[in-house]
Amino acid sequence: MRNLIGLFWLHFFIFLFWVNSPVAVCQQFSSQRAGFLINVNGIENPYEIMTVFTLPNEKLKIEVKKNKAADEYRVYSPGGKIIPAASRHWEWRVPSRTGRYLVKIVRVDHQRTMTLNVFVMLPFDRIAGEHLNRFQVGQYPQKELRGLAIDKPPRGFVEVTPQNEDAFISPHFKLKQFLCKQNGGYPKYLVLQEKLLLKLELILEQVNEKGYRCDTFHVMSGYRTPYYNKAIGNVKYSRHIYGGAADIFIDENPKDNTMDDLNQDGKLDYEDATILYQIIDRLYGKRFYEPFRGGLARYKKNSNHGPFVHVDVRGRRVRWGT
């Protein structure tokens, strides 16, 4: 009997060790890839959930890519109109009314489904002065910095309400995580780029593969209105005002709104941000990461925030804070 009890406790402690090991951590994380790849208006998505931002009455071109010829796919949506364009090609006519719509792409034989959140935005010209429906946006720069197209004002704004802010816009990120931190009631408005979501998902997957359990990043700063960006003293052409940047950190154990002690040295500091920074930096040069070239920086903690890492999708490699 004593031998049986001793054997039980031995297996129990082995189980606890396995559950808390990096290998077990990685097995618990799911990237939620759909098992097939689609292209929507030039942007490729492999995930079960993803988001597209568009304007009223536009057309979305949907294409299933790189799959066996025998696979059958169907596209459904309760809103808008779906028009077959060619084999594995469809057009979805965007409704004239702003809001959130769902488009589902189904791989019939394998019973796999991909869900597209389509946010029909309010056009940029709906801004009156510095406000959009009493929400203070401020003024976007009138000229592109160095003539770059990425510095043009956004095409439109996503309206965020208590009813849609908890929507998952990718497998591991919710709409509300990217809201500007300025004060004010609902509705709120934001700008967000699809490539930023895809980049964050790739980084999150890599972080978990390296053994750091993380269900989502804490987004300390996502979208910033030009009004808020100016109020906090940031640069005029910050990638945040264009919806293409996020300041992030890992906040899992414990969840306390600050970076975890990733190197387990008993301190929450720049070295922890460096671990996340290096995981991201090592992705550069890999072919699958090429569409997500952009800025990368690490920041030390100060009286206002803990250490964090900045990422963006400006289209060229830029580094600072090293």
Side-chain angles (χ1 to χ4, degrees):
M1 180 62 71
R2 289 180 179 177
N3 288 338
L4 288 175
I5 293 174
L7 190 60
F8 167 80
W9 283 111
L10 175 63
H11 282 89
F12 178 73
F13 285 117
I14 290 174
F15 170 77
L16 287 181
F17 174 80
W18 180 84
V19 165
N20 290 284
S21 70
V23 174
V25 166
C26 293
Q27 290 179 348
Q28 292 169 13
F29 176 81
S30 171
S31 65
Q32 297 185 38
R33 291 177 179 260
F36 60 95
L37 183 70
I38 69 164
N39 184 301
V40 182
N41 285 5
I43 297 176
E44 293 189 349
N45 170 57
Y47 299 106
E48 293 176 354
I49 302 171
M50 193 41 69
T51 295
V52 177
F53 304 102
T54 186
L55 291 173
N57 301 313
E58 290 189 335
K59 291 181 180 179
L60 290 186
K61 294 183 178 181
I62 303 171
E63 176 191 1
V64 175
K65 298 178 69 67
K66 299 178 182 177
N67 283 95
K68 296 178 181 178
D71 290 342
E72 181 183 357
Y73 295 87
R74 295 175 185 171
V75 179
Y76 304 93
S77 178
K81 186 176 181 180
I82 297 169
I83 303 172
S87 176
R88 299 188 185 177
H89 290 71
W90 300 264
E91 285 188 354
W92 187 71
R93 291 183 179 174
V94 177
S96 59
R97 187 175 180 179
T98 59
R100 176 186 174 221
Y101 298 84
L102 298 181
V103 177
K104 292 188 179 292
I105 300 97
V106 180
R107 187 178 182 181
V108 178
D109 297 343
H110 297 268
Q111 297 182 336
R112 301 292 298 272
T113 300
M114 181 184 292
T115 300
L116 288 179
N117 290 288
V118 181
F119 282 90
V120 182
M121 303 181 293
L122 274 74
F124 182 83
D125 61 14
R126 291 283 295 274
I127 294 178
E130 293 191 5
H131 291 79
L132 182 59
N133 293 342
R134 294 183 290 181
F135 180 81
Q136 189 162 7
V137 175
Q139 294 185 342
Y140 275 85
Q142 297 300 305
K143 296 181 179 180
E144 296 92 44
L145 183 65
R146 296 188 298 275
L148 297 174
I150 61 170
D151 296 320
K152 290 182 178 179
R155 299 197 309 138
F157 298 87
V158 178
E159 185 171 273
V160 183
T161 68
Q163 289 72 41
N164 69 12
E165 68 176 359
D166 283 308
F168 277 97
I169 53 177
S170 71
H172 303 95
F173 295 91
K174 293 184 177 182
L175 184 62
K176 67 181 180 182
Q177 289 177 262
F178 299 90
L179 281 170
C180 183
K181 299 299 189 290
Q182 72 189 55
N183 295 327
Y186 292 92
K188 302 175 186 290
Y189 295 90
L190 65 73
V191 177
L192 189 57
Q193 296 182 29
E194 295 93 339
K195 276 191 176 182
L196 180 64
L197 288 172
L198 290 164
K199 182 170 185 171
L200 290 173
E201 287 290 346
L202 279 173
I203 294 170
L204 186 66
E205 188 173 353
Q206 191 68 204
V207 163
N208 278 273
E209 286 182 4
K210 296 299 182 183
Y212 300 98
R213 174 59 189 271
C214 187
D215 291 326
T216 187
F217 293 125
H218 183 112
V219 182
M220 190 179 79
S221 184
Y223 173 62
R224 295 180 196 152
T225 63
Y227 159 76
Y228 181 77
N229 189 66
K230 183 179 180 180
I232 64 174
N234 211 315
V235 295
K236 183 178 181 179
Y237 288 89
S238 167
R239 301 323 309 161
H240 288 274
I241 71 172
Y242 300 100
D247 297 336
I248 61 174
F249 55 84
I250 296 172
D251 180 23
E252 290 287 338
N253 186 27
K255 285 189 176 292
D256 56 0
N257 296 320
T258 192
M259 174 77 84
D260 285 351
D261 181 11
L262 299 182
N263 62 2
Q264 299 183 351
D265 67 352
K267 297 180 290 185
L268 305 177
D269 56 21
Y270 189 65
E271 298 306 317
D272 299 304
T274 297
I275 290 175
L276 179 56
Y277 175 98
Q278 290 176 342
I279 291 173
I280 300 169
D281 196 39
R282 288 171 184 147
L283 291 171
Y284 282 84
K286 299 182 185 297
R287 181 176 295 181
F288 68 85
Y289 202 68
E290 187 65 18
F292 309 107
R293 286 180 299 172
L296 176 63
R298 48 190 163 179
Y299 287 83
K300 298 178 180 179
K301 66 179 179 179
N302 61 24
S303 58
N304 296 316
H305 59 71
F308 67 90
V309 169
H310 167 99
V311 295
D312 66 52
V313 287
R314 69 184 68 197
R316 57 191 177 90
R317 188 180 188 276
V318 180
R319 296 290 182 274
W320 68 94
T322 57

PDB file of all heavy atoms in Angstrom, residues 62-64 73 75 83-91:
ATOM      1  N   ILE A  62     -12.723  38.051 -52.889  1.00  0.00           N
ATOM      2  CA  ILE A  62     -12.318  36.932 -52.031  1.00  0.00           C
ATOM      3  C   ILE A  62     -11.829  35.791 -52.912  1.00  0.00           C
ATOM      4  O   ILE A  62     -12.508  35.384 -53.853  1.00  0.00           O
ATOM      5  CB  ILE A  62     -13.499  36.454 -51.156  1.00  0.00           C
ATOM      6  CG1 ILE A  62     -14.031  37.612 -50.313  1.00  0.00           C
ATOM      7  CG2 ILE A  62     -13.079  35.283 -50.271  1.00  0.00           C
ATOM      8  CD1 ILE A  62     -15.335  37.292 -49.591  1.00  0.00           C
ATOM      9  N   GLU A  63     -10.657  35.268 -52.596  1.00  0.00           N
ATOM     10  CA  GLU A  63     -10.067  34.167 -53.360  1.00  0.00           C
ATOM     11  C   GLU A  63      -9.481  33.142 -52.409  1.00  0.00           C
ATOM     12  O   GLU A  63      -8.762  33.479 -51.468  1.00  0.00           O
ATOM     13  CB  GLU A  63      -8.965  34.689 -54.288  1.00  0.00           C
ATOM     14  CG  GLU A  63      -8.233  33.586 -55.036  1.00  0.00           C
ATOM     15  CD  GLU A  63      -6.981  34.089 -55.744  1.00  0.00           C
ATOM     16  OE1 GLU A  63      -6.668  35.295 -55.629  1.00  0.00           O
ATOM     17  OE2 GLU A  63      -6.303  33.262 -56.397  1.00  0.00           O
ATOM     18  N   VAL A  64      -9.799  31.865 -52.624  1.00  0.00           N
ATOM     19  CA  VAL A  64      -9.166  30.777 -51.888  1.00  0.00           C
ATOM     20  C   VAL A  64      -7.898  30.397 -52.630  1.00  0.00           C
ATOM     21  O   VAL A  64      -7.910  30.167 -53.843  1.00  0.00           O
ATOM     22  CB  VAL A  64     -10.097  29.560 -51.751  1.00  0.00           C
ATOM     23  CG1 VAL A  64      -9.362  28.397 -51.080  1.00  0.00           C
ATOM     24  CG2 VAL A  64     -11.340  29.916 -50.953  1.00  0.00           C
ATOM     25  N   TYR A  73     -15.453  24.824 -51.789  1.00  0.00           N
ATOM     26  CA  TYR A  73     -15.613  25.949 -50.864  1.00  0.00           C
ATOM     27  C   TYR A  73     -16.925  26.684 -51.164  1.00  0.00           C
ATOM     28  O   TYR A  73     -17.341  26.791 -52.318  1.00  0.00           O
ATOM     29  CB  TYR A  73     -14.439  26.930 -50.994  1.00  0.00           C
ATOM     30  CG  TYR A  73     -13.113  26.344 -50.580  1.00  0.00           C
ATOM     31  CD1 TYR A  73     -12.335  25.640 -51.498  1.00  0.00           C
ATOM     32  CD2 TYR A  73     -12.641  26.487 -49.278  1.00  0.00           C
ATOM     33  CE1 TYR A  73     -11.124  25.088 -51.122  1.00  0.00           C
ATOM     34  CE2 TYR A  73     -11.421  25.935 -48.904  1.00  0.00           C
ATOM     35  CZ  TYR A  73     -10.673  25.242 -49.829  1.00  0.00           C
ATOM     36  OH  TYR A  73      -9.472  24.695 -49.458  1.00  0.00           O
ATOM     37  N   VAL A  75     -19.231  30.316 -49.819  1.00  0.00           N
ATOM     38  CA  VAL A  75     -19.192  31.589 -49.103  1.00  0.00           C
ATOM     39  C   VAL A  75     -20.619  32.004 -48.744  1.00  0.00           C
ATOM     40  O   VAL A  75     -21.514  31.956 -49.591  1.00  0.00           O
ATOM     41  CB  VAL A  75     -18.514  32.685 -49.956  1.00  0.00           C
ATOM     42  CG1 VAL A  75     -18.506  34.018 -49.208  1.00  0.00           C
ATOM     43  CG2 VAL A  75     -17.089  32.277 -50.310  1.00  0.00           C
ATOM     44  N   ILE A  83     -21.306  37.295 -55.078  1.00  0.00           N
ATOM     45  CA  ILE A  83     -21.366  37.013 -56.512  1.00  0.00           C
ATOM     46  C   ILE A  83     -20.181  36.133 -56.888  1.00  0.00           C
ATOM     47  O   ILE A  83     -19.025  36.558 -56.759  1.00  0.00           O
ATOM     48  CB  ILE A  83     -21.316  38.318 -57.331  1.00  0.00           C
ATOM     49  CG1 ILE A  83     -22.449  39.260 -56.911  1.00  0.00           C
ATOM     50  CG2 ILE A  83     -21.384  38.016 -58.819  1.00  0.00           C
ATOM     51  CD1 ILE A  83     -22.341  40.627 -57.525  1.00  0.00           C
ATOM     52  N   PRO A  84     -20.427  34.879 -57.348  1.00  0.00           N
ATOM     53  CA  PRO A  84     -19.316  34.055 -57.829  1.00  0.00           C
ATOM     54  C   PRO A  84     -18.665  34.725 -59.036  1.00  0.00           C
ATOM     55  O   PRO A  84     -19.346  35.160 -59.966  1.00  0.00           O
ATOM     56  CB  PRO A  84     -19.996  32.743 -58.226  1.00  0.00           C
ATOM     57  CG  PRO A  84     -21.294  32.735 -57.459  1.00  0.00           C
ATOM     58  CD  PRO A  84     -21.715  34.176 -57.386  1.00  0.00           C
ATOM     59  N   ALA A  85     -17.318  34.844 -58.994  1.00  0.00           N
ATOM     60  CA  ALA A  85     -16.610  35.527 -60.073  1.00  0.00           C
ATOM     61  C   ALA A  85     -15.848  34.552 -60.957  1.00  0.00           C
ATOM     62  O   ALA A  85     -15.726  34.760 -62.160  1.00  0.00           O
ATOM     63  CB  ALA A  85     -15.643  36.563 -59.486  1.00  0.00           C
ATOM     64  N   ALA A  86     -15.332  33.479 -60.386  1.00  0.00           N
ATOM     65  CA  ALA A  86     -14.591  32.445 -61.110  1.00  0.00           C
ATOM     66  C   ALA A  86     -14.413  31.290 -60.136  1.00  0.00           C
ATOM     67  O   ALA A  86     -14.931  31.322 -59.021  1.00  0.00           O
ATOM     68  CB  ALA A  86     -13.245  32.981 -61.594  1.00  0.00           C
ATOM     69  N   SER A  87     -13.664  30.262 -60.560  1.00  0.00           N
ATOM     70  CA  SER A  87     -13.412  29.150 -59.657  1.00  0.00           C
ATOM     71  C   SER A  87     -12.682  29.649 -58.409  1.00  0.00           C
ATOM     72  O   SER A  87     -11.612  30.254 -58.510  1.00  0.00           O
ATOM     73  CB  SER A  87     -12.556  28.092 -60.362  1.00  0.00           C
ATOM     74  OG  SER A  87     -12.231  27.044 -59.481  1.00  0.00           O
ATOM     75  N   ARG A  88     -13.296  29.457 -57.255  1.00  0.00           N
ATOM     76  CA  ARG A  88     -12.743  29.868 -55.955  1.00  0.00           C
ATOM     77  C   ARG A  88     -12.550  31.376 -55.846  1.00  0.00           C
ATOM     78  O   ARG A  88     -11.720  31.851 -55.080  1.00  0.00           O
ATOM     79  CB  ARG A  88     -11.433  29.144 -55.666  1.00  0.00           C
ATOM     80  CG  ARG A  88     -11.594  27.636 -55.588  1.00  0.00           C
ATOM     81  CD  ARG A  88     -10.328  26.999 -55.105  1.00  0.00           C
ATOM     82  NE  ARG A  88     -10.431  25.563 -55.137  1.00  0.00           N
ATOM     83  CZ  ARG A  88      -9.447  24.734 -54.821  1.00  0.00           C
ATOM     84  NH1 ARG A  88      -8.282  25.226 -54.462  1.00  0.00           N
ATOM     85  NH2 ARG A  88      -9.616  23.439 -54.871  1.00  0.00           N
ATOM     86  N   HIS A  89     -13.288  32.113 -56.614  1.00  0.00           N
ATOM     87  CA  HIS A  89     -13.273  33.570 -56.539  1.00  0.00           C
ATOM     88  C   HIS A  89     -14.704  34.071 -56.347  1.00  0.00           C
ATOM     89  O   HIS A  89     -15.626  33.596 -57.002  1.00  0.00           O
ATOM     90  CB  HIS A  89     -12.707  34.192 -57.831  1.00  0.00           C
ATOM     91  CG  HIS A  89     -11.246  33.970 -58.030  1.00  0.00           C
ATOM     92  ND1 HIS A  89     -10.720  32.733 -58.352  1.00  0.00           N
ATOM     93  CD2 HIS A  89     -10.200  34.830 -57.963  1.00  0.00           C
ATOM     94  CE1 HIS A  89      -9.398  32.840 -58.482  1.00  0.00           C
ATOM     95  NE2 HIS A  89      -9.060  34.097 -58.254  1.00  0.00           N
ATOM     96  N   TRP A  90     -14.853  35.032 -55.445  1.00  0.00           N
ATOM     97  CA  TRP A  90     -16.157  35.636 -55.204  1.00  0.00           C
ATOM     98  C   TRP A  90     -15.995  37.147 -55.021  1.00  0.00           C
ATOM     99  O   TRP A  90     -14.925  37.622 -54.640  1.00  0.00           O
ATOM    100  CB  TRP A  90     -16.813  35.076 -53.932  1.00  0.00           C
ATOM    101  CG  TRP A  90     -17.051  33.603 -53.937  1.00  0.00           C
ATOM    102  CD1 TRP A  90     -18.195  32.938 -54.271  1.00  0.00           C
ATOM    103  CD2 TRP A  90     -16.113  32.580 -53.554  1.00  0.00           C
ATOM    104  NE1 TRP A  90     -18.038  31.584 -54.126  1.00  0.00           N
ATOM    105  CE2 TRP A  90     -16.768  31.335 -53.692  1.00  0.00           C
ATOM    106  CE3 TRP A  90     -14.783  32.597 -53.122  1.00  0.00           C
ATOM    107  CZ2 TRP A  90     -16.145  30.140 -53.405  1.00  0.00           C
ATOM    108  CZ3 TRP A  90     -14.151  31.408 -52.836  1.00  0.00           C
ATOM    109  CH2 TRP A  90     -14.828  30.183 -52.985  1.00  0.00           C
ATOM    110  N   GLU A  91     -17.067  37.852 -55.261  1.00  0.00           N
ATOM    111  CA  GLU A  91     -17.142  39.265 -54.905  1.00  0.00           C
ATOM    112  C   GLU A  91     -18.269  39.434 -53.899  1.00  0.00           C
ATOM    113  O   GLU A  91     -19.324  38.800 -54.029  1.00  0.00           O
ATOM    114  CB  GLU A  91     -17.403  40.143 -56.134  1.00  0.00           C
ATOM    115  CG  GLU A  91     -16.208  40.333 -57.027  1.00  0.00           C
ATOM    116  CD  GLU A  91     -16.474  41.357 -58.115  1.00  0.00           C
ATOM    117  OE1 GLU A  91     -17.636  41.828 -58.230  1.00  0.00           O
ATOM    118  OE2 GLU A  91     -15.532  41.686 -58.855  1.00  0.00           O
TER     119      GLU A  91
END
